[in-house]
Amino acid sequence: QKGMEIVSATYDVVEHLPPTEKFGLRSQCSRAAVSIPSNIAEGSARKSVAHFIQYLETSLGSTYELETQVIIIQSRFGISNELTVRLIGLIEEEKKMLGSYISKLTS
């Protein structure tokens, strides 16, 4: 359940953002993180493999979105600690797993 770990780690990271980012990066990161496991779950309920792949691709897109946002957090706010490093690692693992799974389903 890497996706759920990403959600938890994301919430740990965004707690360190300034209050002015409540409706900015904090909200955007949270939505992207929650989107990852949510799209996998919703896609798994679809009847066709093609539809499932679409949801997996959406989930994969959310990993790239979240990764970009974490990099922005690191550079803009100087928050580069074990929490952000762990989150980036989890995102990288999820990207590899989703990419591999999508490849297997499309072969």
Side-chain angles (χ1 to χ4, degrees):
Q1 296 289 353
K2 196 67 59 190
M4 299 305 280
E5 287 182 63
I6 289 171
V7 172
S8 180
T10 298
Y11 276 91
D12 290 342
V13 167
V14 299
E15 285 178 5
H16 291 88
L17 287 170
T20 56
E21 285 300 318
K22 181 177 182 181
F23 300 108
L25 274 173
R26 184 181 305 222
S27 175
Q28 194 71 19
C29 287
S30 301
R31 282 196 306 271
V34 169
S35 173
I36 296 166
S38 297
N39 276 292
I40 294 169
E42 187 173 354
S44 68
R46 298 299 169 178
K47 294 182 183 190
S48 76
V49 173
H51 282 116
F52 184 36
I53 291 168
Q54 285 180 317
Y55 280 89
L56 292 176
E57 289 172 339
T58 300
S59 183
L60 181 59
S62 293
T63 64
Y64 281 92
E65 178 184 358
L66 181 59
E67 181 178 47
T68 301
Q69 293 160 352
V70 175
I71 292 167
I72 292 167
I73 287 170
Q74 289 174 319
S75 64
R76 175 71 175 97
F77 298 100
I79 302 171
S80 186
N81 56 25
E82 66 214 30
L83 295 174
T84 58
V85 171
R86 177 175 179 266
L87 178 54
I88 292 284
L90 290 169
I91 293 167
E92 286 297 325
E93 288 179 48
E94 186 73 0
K95 283 169 33 181
K96 288 176 187 172
M97 288 189 301
L98 284 168
S100 176
Y101 194 34
I102 290 167
S103 292
K104 286 179 185 177
L105 290 174
T106 55
S107 297

